[in-house]
Amino acid sequence: MIAILFCSFFVLLVIGVPVAFSMAIAAALAVYFGSSYPLIVVVKEMFSGLDSFPLMAVPFFILAAELMSGGAMTTILLRFASQFVGHLRGGLGYANVLSSTMFAGISGSALADAAGPGAMMVRMMEKGGYDKPYAGALTASAAVIGPIIPPSIIMILYAMQVEEVSVGALFMAGILPGLLIMLMLCAANWYICRKRGYRSTEPRPGAREMLRTTLYALPALFLIVIIIGGIRTGIFTPTEASVVAVFYALLCGMFVYRSLKLRHLPDIIYRAALVSIAVLIILAAARAFAWVLIIQSVPQTLAAVIVSWELSPIVFLLAINVLLLAFGLFMDPLPGVMVLVPILAPIAHSLGIDPVHFAIVVIVNLTLGLITPPVGSLLFVVSSAVKLRVTELVGEMPPFFIAHVIVLLILTFVPAVSTWLPHISGF
């Protein structure tokens, strides 16, 4: 049954079948040809994978991100970030990373980050004299911060798989790693801009203009405070926070910034629905795929084998880094969480690794798959949005990928980067 599952899955991937359909079809073939279970059980497991109250947060956070983009708040955040660093050498590159970090605190999605402020920043950087492929590669790399800074869709899904961690704890745990990624990407941008001679043509804004821009951006930035503060104080759950985010984005766009009109809503809801459907189909298929693994006792067997090796926690984490980086070459983060986390998390727990620390290592690892070919979704989103070939983006990626790997190693060897904020916050 397992042989049928994996052989059919990889064959389907090789011939170009989308990941979600590859997992669902592989699970169906494994059940039909390799077991006595009725085929309807695959459909039942797919529906079970979506029958979850916390999962309702996913489409609402996606809708909130679309409302923020449609309500011109993306432009406001770009202007807010540019006023601090736009006048420096490589300033538009810094502004790109900073705006992606701020938008990450609103969207929870790397793809929304790249398609929204990221695409706008590529055009701005090109006008400012930067090579377009470099601007695109920096945009894709910065968008990886989207699933790390809370709110995060992938963190919600991870918490659904592992009882030892909560969504609130993971949200708090993602803040410092997200900021660390931001700093490393800024360092990479500094090095490349000095090497290539990219200079800023923007004048430094005056204090009065900076104050006015900051005050104008505060309502948009306050959404992050509402989400994190509301969850931390227990005013609402993460699912309820996603609904609050939708209504807050709607009110800001329509009444504070007055750039969101009623006629825009059908198109915004349509785009959010398409993205949500794509995500939910992946989750449903991943649930069926994981169910086949579970009934064949693959997680238990693998856990017993790895525990028998008596690896130290650090060696285990380094091995997991290699495994997940390789896994990310061929699969997106969401199915990765659904399929791999139920297998790996119990092993990490048996080795005494902090569950929050392990969660962040896994999440950061899997999100790097978004910028690694051949499947890297962010590469295709950015190339499509700004009319670049994927090969041009890939050629500019090595310095940024190195920056991400350095952050990953820091997270592996220094657990406090992930666990300190959740600890002092009471999670």
Side-chain angles (χ1 to χ4, degrees), residues 392-404:
E392 294 179 282
L393 293 177
V394 172
E396 296 281 359
M397 288 302 299
F400 304 121
F401 191 76
I402 291 172
H404 281 292

Side-chain angles (χ1 to χ4, degrees), residues 114-179:
M120 295 174 63
M121 279 305 308
V122 171
R123 290 188 283 271
M124 289 176 60
M125 291 179 69
E126 185 182 14
K127 290 180 181 178
Y130 295 77
D131 293 333
K132 190 175 181 180
Y134 171 76
L138 179 59
T139 295
S141 301
V144 170
I145 302 173
I148 310 300
I149 296 282
S152 167
I153 293 171
I154 192 173
M155 289 179 179
I156 296 171
L157 301 179
Y158 190 103
M160 291 171 57
Q161 308 301 311
V162 181
E163 294 181 356
E164 289 83 6
V165 296
S166 66
V167 174
L170 292 182
F171 277 9
M172 295 302 297
I175 294 175
L176 291 182
L179 295 177

